[in-house]
Amino acid sequence: MNRLQLRALLEEVRSGAVTPESAHEQLLQYLRQSPYENLGFARVDHHRSVRQGFPEVVYGPGKTPEQIATISERIVAAGHNLLVTRTTRDAYEAIRERLPAASFHEQARTITLRLTSMPPGRGTILVAAAGTADLPVAEEAVTSAEIMGNTVDRLYDVGVAGLHRLLAEHARLTAAHVVIVVAGMEGALPSVVGGLVDAPVIAVPTSVGYGASFGGITALLAMLNSCANGVSVVNIDNGFGAAAIASAINHLP
Amino acid sequence: MNRLQLRALLEEVRSGAVTPESAHEQLLQYLRQSPYENLGFARVDHHRSVRQGFPEVVYGPGKTPEQIATISERIVAAGHNLLVTRTTRDAYEAIRERLPAASFHEQARTITLRLTSMPPGRGTILVAAAGTADLPVAEEAVTSAEIMGNTVDRLYDVGVAGLHRLLAEHARLTAAHVVIVVAGMEGALPSVVGGLVDAPVIAVPTSVGYGASFGGITALLAMLNSCANGVSVVNIDNGFGAAAIASAINHLP
Amino acid sequence: MNRLQLRALLEEVRSGAVTPESAHEQLLQYLRQSPYENLGFARVDHHRSVRQGFPEVVYGPGKTPEQIATISERIVAAGHNLLVTRTTRDAYEAIRERLPAASFHEQARTITLRLTSMPPGRGTILVAAAGTADLPVAEEAVTSAEIMGNTVDRLYDVGVAGLHRLLAEHARLTAAHVVIVVAGMEGALPSVVGGLVDAPVIAVPTSVGYGASFGGITALLAMLNSCANGVSVVNIDNGFGAAAIASAINHLP
Amino acid sequence: MNRLQLRALLEEVRSGAVTPESAHEQLLQYLRQSPYENLGFARVDHHRSVRQGFPEVVYGPGKTPEQIATISERIVAAGHNLLVTRTTRDAYEAIRERLPAASFHEQARTITLRLTSMPPGRGTILVAAAGTADLPVAEEAVTSAEIMGNTVDRLYDVGVAGLHRLLAEHARLTAAHVVIVVAGMEGALPSVVGGLVDAPVIAVPTSVGYGASFGGITALLAMLNSCANGVSVVNIDNGFGAAAIASAINHLP
Amino acid sequence: MNRLQLRALLEEVRSGAVTPESAHEQLLQYLRQSPYENLGFARVDHHRSVRQGFPEVVYGPGKTPEQIATISERIVAAGHNLLVTRTTRDAYEAIRERLPAASFHEQARTITLRLTSMPPGRGTILVAAAGTADLPVAEEAVTSAEIMGNTVDRLYDVGVAGLHRLLAEHARLTAAHVVIVVAGMEGALPSVVGGLVDAPVIAVPTSVGYGASFGGITALLAMLNSCANGVSVVNIDNGFGAAAIASAINHLP
Amino acid sequence: MNRLQLRALLEEVRSGAVTPESAHEQLLQYLRQSPYENLGFARVDHHRSVRQGFPEVVYGPGKTPEQIATISERIVAAGHNLLVTRTTRDAYEAIRERLPAASFHEQARTITLRLTSMPPGRGTILVAAAGTADLPVAEEAVTSAEIMGNTVDRLYDVGVAGLHRLLAEHARLTAAHVVIVVAGMEGALPSVVGGLVDAPVIAVPTSVGYGASFGGITALLAMLNSCANGVSVVNIDNGFGAAAIASAINHLP
Amino acid sequence: MNRLQLRALLEEVRSGAVTPESAHEQLLQYLRQSPYENLGFARVDHHRSVRQGFPEVVYGPGKTPEQIATISERIVAAGHNLLVTRTTRDAYEAIRERLPAASFHEQARTITLRLTSMPPGRGTILVAAAGTADLPVAEEAVTSAEIMGNTVDRLYDVGVAGLHRLLAEHARLTAAHVVIVVAGMEGALPSVVGGLVDAPVIAVPTSVGYGASFGGITALLAMLNSCANGVSVVNIDNGFGAAAIASAINHLP
Amino acid sequence: MNRLQLRALLEEVRSGAVTPESAHEQLLQYLRQSPYENLGFARVDHHRSVRQGFPEVVYGPGKTPEQIATISERIVAAGHNLLVTRTTRDAYEAIRERLPAASFHEQARTITLRLTSMPPGRGTILVAAAGTADLPVAEEAVTSAEIMGNTVDRLYDVGVAGLHRLLAEHARLTAAHVVIVVAGMEGALPSVVGGLVDAPVIAVPTSVGYGASFGGITALLAMLNSCANGVSVVNIDNGFGAAAIASAINHLP
């Protein structure tokens, strides 16, 4: 149960769609959960969806497939949607034994399982990517945003070296409620997009490139120095983080 | 005239509050302006408020007081609100000769002049600062957000070394629509705030610190690596940029 | 024989628990050892435990399993406890052939063999870790501190994005004599812990993270810039080093 | 009133040296203070001495002399000892108007005022400095450690290029309870000292040097990579921080 | 006499416009010069114009006004055009005493004196600059290119945050024989220009910006990673260097 | 059809070599192509050869062999020459199934297929390489320049530690229209070559070296700081980029 | 034939030990060699031993075993001693087929073949190494120095954390004509050695270490900032380079 | 008295030029000095000339003129030659009051006073500098080498962009016993010189340059990666250090 679901429940009580008794039961069930569950190697944060609108997300690196599966099982057991990021097919196999309904998104390297329907956002999140090599990060953003209850529009291979490809999609750009821009190399795309829209732009530098791209540092620095207004930046290759921010914006009251 | 004002004008026509003739006149007056005005050393972008919700902002460094005053005069002549950032008292003196109503915000190093009332945002922007030395950047964010039509709440000197000072203000944190967190040194405050709220958090690293703070690089890197969801980052000391993003979020339909 | 054991022996002579003849014999046996033993590729420092309270520790990288086993054998032959760090199962197999009592700590990547009982420290060393991926470094600190004669308390997965997990353990934090804090990504945990306790805090940055975490540089810099008092820092992933300092503090007279 | 003073007070009640009535009165007076005092630009943390053994220390940079003087006055009004670091003669003049008893330590760039006697530490803190140019940082450590209630021994200009100068002072080195080592350039002194003592060593890199010393980065990195055990590190030029850690160690029960 | 002038002279002999006697005299006069002239603190390279198409250029920093004036005098005495870069009004005053015809370009920080007419280039060199603060570097390129015999077109304040300002000048962009693009901050302009033209693009990063622009490093890295073809890069703020390359291209046979 | 071919076609119409009807048909066929073709994961830019003189080049990394083959097929289907860079034998196998005439250049890691004859350049492009380990990058430049219609001369293993090897080839150096200089380690060769020729020099740093060569950063920085005029720089190991610039220069009208 | 051999030959002619006829023949044979031999992928520099005292050394990385074997064969065919550095067993196998007398030094990763006896140096070269993991680099220096005609003394595992191991070898240190000091981690050993001897010290940083050792950067920087006189530095892991310098010094007339 | 003077004295005793009584007296006078003299802020190392061939050199930065003058007086009082580096006219004025014979070298920023004649070196030290702006560092090397008893030859403004200026001085290069090469910007000169001579080359990077020269880092890195043999490197701008090494080499027995 997250903050928006809590508010919705109370609205339903007022409107009579839900009886006070049923609401009482649902709240009790939630409150019976400990705020976190200590597995020894991890403390699963069960109240995060109330505090932050989405349950704890499992960050894959540094955890064994067995640990990931155990944490995932506890999250689902608590009635939350599941999202695992930066993960592998091995982890997916371990999860599938316990949670057969889970899905693996190969290009995005994410695992998801949707238990409950999230409240829809106010508008569309557009995910734009500069080149084909940026797609894994862009797809991480897409699958993350979708599991968080957002409608997502994809706009791929629109790098600044062929501006007409971007300008031809001007209408989709300005229609978006939030824009995520994914780019490596010189990271110029967020500046150009930022000058064309008034929606907030979340820039995601990628490690695409070689030599003086320094594994994404160049794109990161370029985005931090954007001369366009309205551009904020997340870590290199952090498609999930961009989606979390975009979703937070898209779900503001 | 920005995008929100344009929408409001059309609403007023529908409701009868404004006659079509008057609206026609207002629109004509706007469209008679060239999209930009070439001063030789600068091209003032008069349509930016339509594209991006706020007119062109004057970035002070590298411009003479005389250049700043000339550009400011053209912006005001076009009927726009004025915001000059990273500026000096000298530039203010040059502006005041031409625009006596302009104000200088010493700590924030900004100059503002409000000609038209901006549409109000949906909620409050909270500006939190870790320490006293971070106030110039925090105040740049405050004065920028205010001239863009936002209500701003200040929360200063709440660094993580004395957590009780922050936790005592929990209610103001969760009441905000968007949170700007300004911090130097180890830049830990956005992670802690990001874990407490579900509003989007814009983190502003500052150059406060010495030695291995490297002029704000440490705070910048820490913020980019935040383990909390919902935190995006702008350039070091970029209070204005954070305000522009926060205002864009706060003015989403 | 280390400095504390030497002092203890002399106390026992004074109290009559040990005869001067026996003490004489023990001291002679120690002094008959050369201060170091030259193996050609290594000079084993047999007097280090007198100078520094713990015998030479074997640093694994760059040594063949055979070299590690040979050095380990010489240390044990001199009557010292054994600690090998940053090592592998291969090295363990080589050691076990010569020293069957040795133990391999897989997650910690350490090998230990306890020959003599170390004098106990004055209090407890608390090892706190921000996330599950930090456990290898945390466990290196734990196994190192234990072989040096310390009582250790573990507090894992208490990162700052879910502060309630940390605050719930406030009593264990303030009860510790020394605190080791292990964290990657933005490295904010030592600052928060440092503000809650008056015990010395040894911060260990880890290479956990990606992109702009730069293999632990971000966490390292953040910890060096901590706004909390009482925080000192060791090298990235240096769990052993933190344990050695904590043990030195814990064994101060 | 800090944690040690609180403990001492209760001991005195038990021993009869202080009446319960008098102790009650002292505790009430303390508790009547708010945990912090909001000056608008700063929140003075009045309970820090209970949490951390020393009251809030005023960090000078980024504050006007007037702000420093105001904060200092509030700290002294609350009955605490005063320490201002990285400050200037101008700030001292502003403080002296309100607190005539304050002292300025020119080389150390600190201001102190001792209101109450701190409990003495268990041993001596030795401050060793590699060269004459390192003295400002060393003296910052000395004046900070002294106001925190420690006995300090100075050992200056003992850099490794003339080892005999250091070895001649071997007895003072091994007599210390904690050692602070201050060095710039290649930062080798802590490694050499760390190999000679079993006390904890706090290494302070300084910005002394030129070219590839990079303002102290080289010394910082060298110290973090020390092959000697028991060496932890603080920020470049952070003499105060080293003193705070050393004092925390020196005041452990 | 440079390579092009030499070729032109021989053409004139063939066409009869110059007599062999006169050409002989001109060549003798040139060959009588030593290939370089040793002033002790400098060796003036008098044959550089034959090797490289333009005489030695005086780099200002690290030379006293007196040294600059002495070298300038020797260059002019040898019959060459004079260009001094990164210089000051003081150096200009020293030069003007000996060479009253010299000109000082304040914004460009260059001194020039045209003795002989350079052969014209094949086309126009366009110098585009992203913002007003980039003008000193752009003007260094302009004055350098002009003294080397090129026709220069200026296109200023066309940064990517307001693309319409650039696209409105598309015709001037495609008409240029070589394009120099000067930009700071995120350095995105060369990528956008590079995608629009087939002329070679010389990108000049500038130190304009703050925080994570790192004195132009960000712009430099972005330009090196340009996804557009045909973009090569020179040092930060090196307007002169870009002009020298552009002129070399423009004067190719 | 690229810009030069378009111009050539119109010349042929004027001269009568091509009938207006035939030219009309050729132009129609070209214009019937969409300016780009959206494959979902990529938008193939079919008009790039008009804008930039060479069709879109396929950058290999981050694309699957299947994606590369699909894009390659579309480029060839549109009548363009094919160039794939930084590619592998696997990609070549995938391409060869669809385009049997394609060639794989193993050392250069490029794939080419020549459909149409490019207009010849004005002169020769010389590719000089400092050492044997630089040959993969040099050969990438050679195969790229050749497919773009240039005559290329190779000058390999002429590093500055044995200057006589370079000086012995002085005639080939000065005969070139454009010079590409490929070097790793200290990257000194472009400065020496730049002092010997008046043709434009494109410097390509390589990742050849170890230790403080930092994967080519040292060579890159050295080249950016060249004291010779006429040297511009591309990304580390970017042989293709240098060829594209050199070809653009070589095909200027 | 190198410079010293040339001088020795002329001395022998003067003394009558060699007839002018014989000397004439030897010189002719040498001069008949081209100064370099162009293999296409490499130009073997046959006169380097005259210019620099040792023939061209084959740097292994980036060359195939076949290329290395071909170059080696040409060097030996010209009568020179062979040294291949940073090489592999594969390259050795390729060489051994053509030059069965070649030796492979596994730890040093070098291949040598001694054809002619080099003139002996004036004294001993001492190679000191801080730890066991530094031995590959130290042995590269040893095998390189020996093939260049020097007497070498090894002093291994004498790091500064156990100073007594170094001080015990004081006599060997001061007896050396030149000292090579090999160390990783904090790189302090050259400073300590430099303070003890008046012979020139060549410091070789190694990539031994982890975390903030940054692959040897820390040791490199520390050595460049050495406060001891007489210490110069070579690239990280460059044992061969240090040997070449030490040999040049040791063979000075 | 340094090591060479000691040896010379004993030779003179053997030859009868000095009586044993006189030698005895001289030795006694030396031995009566303490090995160092503790001034509180500095420990003057009076035995350094025996250990290292030259007395302690005073490093200026971070010392007050008064401190410099006091240390200088003690060095001269002990009978040693004086060298102060990186100093100012103010320090010179303070010294001159006590030591009127001292000389100030303005460009070199050194102060010297010659009390005793140093033993001459075996050959000449050549100091080569790439450009005029490098002269302060070159002159620091020259004045340092001269006070240490060396004959110095200057070769200035011979940068690689005009190779003929260097090649014209080939004879002076090959005549030198040791070569110091001083260069900024791309730092290529040591590689070129290193390929021409067999004497040891000490490379001194300077902070001359701008932008991506990063205060000398580029030149430093280039020199460390020199492909020429026999090149070792000292810190940026460290002319004195290069002179100390060159002098040590030049005074080897």
Side-chain angles (χ1 to χ4, degrees), chain A residues 149-213:
Chain A
N150 301 282
T151 304
V152 181
D153 186 21
R154 287 170 174 93
L155 189 57
Y156 290 170
D157 202 17
V158 290
V160 300
L163 262 190
H164 59 302
R165 299 179 299 188
L166 179 71
L167 297 178
E169 307 281 13
H170 193 263
R172 285 165 70 194
L173 278 171
T174 53
H177 200 71
V178 192
V179 183
I180 293 174
V181 184
V182 181
M185 296 180 172
E186 82 271 60
L189 188 56
S191 290
V192 170
V193 170
L196 296 172
V197 303
D198 62 354
V201 173
I202 319 292
V204 189
T206 70
S207 51
V208 168
Y210 61 92
S213 88

Side-chain angles (χ1 to χ4, degrees), chain F residues 15-38:
Chain F
S15 71
V18 167
T19 64
E21 288 70 26
S22 164
H24 182 226
E25 187 56 34
Q26 289 180 47
L27 283 169
L28 267 190
Q29 182 181 350
Y30 178 80
L31 291 169
R32 271 190 221 106
Q33 294 178 351
S34 160
Y36 64 86
E37 186 175 352
N38 193 345

Side-chain angles (χ1 to χ4, degrees), chain H residues 6-53:
Chain H
L6 178 58
R7 199 178 308 159
L9 178 65
L10 298 177
E11 284 291 338
E12 288 174 317
V13 172
R14 184 171 63 180
S15 70
V18 166
T19 64
E21 289 71 25
S22 164
H24 183 227
E25 187 56 33
Q26 288 181 48
L27 282 169
L28 267 190
Q29 180 180 352
Y30 178 79
L31 291 169
R32 270 189 221 107
Q33 294 177 352
S34 159
Y36 65 87
E37 185 174 353
N38 193 345
L39 307 179
F41 60 87
R43 291 167 198 250
V44 185
D45 184 355
H46 288 318
H47 280 196
R48 187 163 294 182
S49 70
V50 172
R51 287 201 326 279
Q52 304 215 275

Side-chain angles (χ1 to χ4, degrees), chain B residues 174-187:
Chain B
T174 53
H177 200 72
V178 193
V179 183
I180 293 173
V181 183
V182 181
M185 296 180 173
E186 82 271 62

Side-chain angles (χ1 to χ4, degrees), chain G residues 71-244:
Chain G
I71 298 173
S72 297
E73 198 178 33
R74 301 318 305 151
I75 288 171
V76 170
H80 297 307
N81 286 346
L82 175 69
L83 173 60
V84 186
T85 62
R86 301 187 157 249
T87 191
T88 61
R89 183 163 285 280
D90 280 357
Y92 174 58
E93 299 301 341
I95 286 177
R96 200 164 51 169
E97 283 179 25
R98 309 188 189 188
L99 304 167
S103 308
F104 183 50
H105 309 267
E106 182 128 29
Q107 194 175 27
R109 296 155 305 140
T110 54
I111 297 166
T112 54
L113 195 163
R114 185 185 305 263
L115 275 198
T116 73
S117 171
M118 304 293 293
R122 303 178 68 91
T124 297
I125 296 175
L126 179 79
V127 177
T132 301
D134 298 316
L135 294 200
V137 177
E139 284 294 307
E140 183 185 291
V142 168
T143 57
S144 299
E146 285 178 344
I147 191 76
M148 291 170 181
N150 301 281
T151 303
V152 180
D153 186 21
R154 287 169 174 94
L155 188 58
Y156 288 169
D157 201 17
V158 290
V160 300
L163 263 190
H164 58 302
R165 298 179 300 188
L166 179 71
L167 298 178
E169 306 283 11
H170 193 265
R172 284 164 71 195
L173 277 171
T174 52
H177 200 72
V178 192
V179 183
I180 293 173
V181 183
V182 180
M185 295 181 174
E186 83 270 61
L189 188 57
S191 290
V192 171
V193 169
L196 296 172
V197 303
D198 62 352
V201 173
I202 318 291
V204 189
T206 70
S207 52
V208 167
Y210 61 92
S213 86
F214 299 136
I217 297 179
T218 294
L220 170 64
L221 294 178
M223 292 170 180
L224 286 166
N225 284 281
S226 176
C227 59
N229 295 341
V231 178
S232 63
V233 187
V234 296
N235 197 1
I236 298 165
D237 291 336
N238 191 5
F240 157 71

Side-chain angles (χ1 to χ4, degrees), chain D residues 33-34 61 64 90 104 115 118 120-121 155 158 162 189 195 213 226 230:
Chain D
Q33 293 177 353
S34 159
T64 62
D90 280 357
F104 182 50
L115 275 198
M118 305 293 293
L155 188 58
V158 290
L189 188 56
S213 86
S226 176

